[in-house]
Amino acid sequence: SQQGEEDPQALSIQEGENATMNCSYKTSINNLQWYRQNSGRGLVHLILIRSNEREKHSGRLRVTLDTSKKSSSLLITASRAADTASYFCATVGRLTGGGNKLTFGTGTQLKVEL
Amino acid sequence: EPEVTQTPSHQVTQMGQEVILRCVPISNHLYFYWYRQILGQKVEFLVSFYNNEISEKSEIFDDQFSVERPDGSNFTLKIRSTKLEDSAMYFCASSELENTGELFFGEGSRLTVL
């Protein structure tokens, strides 16, 4: 099965610093997504990178994908206290009946301190 | 902005009781999903639903679980006889017919089984 495993499990940084989270997976993918989850809240889609892309930017977010190593990284630049949350990668596979199935990783808990 | 809404936000129930969790997906979406997250663990796929039938389900989704789209707007998850290990956050999600795999998640329903 596709398994996203993030590291580190927890990351604590100072506001203004960059935060890098990594994700590894096991099988081939159509695309990979990153989601954010504030404590006790729902999942919010951040960014999607297709299997034929190597890098993608969205605001302060930068995602890379290395399909040969089956890994992805999420970089948050100039972090803010409001970025404190858990971040999950999710691999995406098509369902035979239509739609897409996300397989989530274990997540990185990011804490940005003032 | 359209969003997926879920009710109740929190339900406490006794073991063995039936529970129905409700979701209103985004109106023009045609794929619907339930995921769950046991406290401190990964977000896990339960079931996907398209064209009024289950398109795929995980091994977690046993005979105690069922889904229904009773009226064209609501999408429900029923647990017939709850167990302690069903305690989790249950997330509903929906996606468009033609899409790259981005799922839109609700805020979740926290189920506590005593």
Side-chain angles (χ1 to χ4, degrees):
Chain A
S1 63
Q2 297 172 339
Q3 293 272 328
E5 302 291 338
E6 285 95 331
D7 77 88
Q9 287 189 317
L11 180 61
S12 183
I13 59 174
Q14 297 295 311
E15 197 170 50
E17 294 180 335
N18 296 340
T20 300
M21 290 159 269
N22 303 295
C23 166
S24 61
Y25 57 92
K26 294 182 180 176
T27 61
S28 60
I29 57 171
N30 295 318
N31 62 64
L32 183 143
Q33 302 178 33
W34 285 87
Y35 284 80
R36 167 195 167 124
Q37 183 182 34
N38 284 44
S39 180
R41 304 293 299 276
L43 294 152
V44 177
H45 180 265
L46 293 177
I47 195 166
L48 178 153
I49 186 165
R50 299 173 197 268
S51 57
N52 61 352
E53 296 176 312
R54 292 295 166 261
E55 188 172 312
K56 200 160 184 181
H57 296 253
S58 176
R60 292 185 295 112
L61 305 180
R62 174 179 166 246
V63 168
T64 62
L65 179 65
D66 186 337
T67 52
S68 66
K69 294 181 180 176
K70 292 186 167 59
S71 67
S72 174
S73 68
L74 172 67
L75 169 67
I76 303 174
T77 60
S79 63
R80 305 166 183 167
D83 294 328
T84 295
S86 291
Y87 292 82
F88 296 89
C89 70
T91 53
V92 183
R94 295 289 296 182
L95 297 171
T96 50
N100 295 282
K101 176 181 174 181
L102 299 183
T103 301
F104 285 88
T106 50
T108 293
Q109 282 189 303
L110 174 66
K111 184 175 181 181
V112 182
E113 300 186 77
L114 294 169
Chain B
E1 185 174 327
E3 58 182 15
V4 175
T5 57
Q6 290 185 241
T7 55
S9 56
H10 189 192
Q11 180 154 358
V12 181
T13 190
Q14 295 291 323
M15 191 168 54
Q17 294 296 304
E18 176 182 283
V19 161
I20 297 176
L21 305 179
R22 292 183 168 81
C23 169
V24 179
I26 294 173
S27 61
N28 64 332
H29 286 185
L30 296 176
Y31 296 99
F32 313 111
Y33 312 84
W34 284 99
Y35 285 75
R36 81 170 185 191
Q37 184 181 32
I38 295 172
L39 186 64
Q41 296 187 24
K42 292 184 183 185
V43 178
E44 302 172 291
F45 170 78
L46 289 179
V47 66
S48 62
F49 192 87
Y50 171 67
N51 202 24
N52 284 321
E53 60 183 20
I54 291 173
S55 54
E56 185 163 328
K57 59 184 180 180
S58 71
E59 58 272 14
I60 302 168
F61 195 88
D62 61 22
D63 293 343
Q64 292 298 312
F65 292 89
S66 62
V67 289
E68 196 175 39
R69 193 138 194 265
D71 57 13
S73 62
N74 289 288
F75 178 50
T76 62
L77 174 70
K78 181 193 289 186
I79 309 174
R80 288 192 184 80
S81 178
T82 50
K83 298 178 273 223
L84 295 176
E85 54 265 36
D86 294 327
S87 294
M89 187 77 113
Y90 288 82
F91 293 105
C92 174
S94 67
S95 64
E96 295 177 287
L97 177 62
E98 297 294 336
N99 74 101
T100 54
E102 179 182 351
L103 270 59
F104 293 80
F105 284 84
E107 289 288 313
S109 292
R110 180 171 298 283
L111 175 64
T112 302
V113 183
L114 302 175

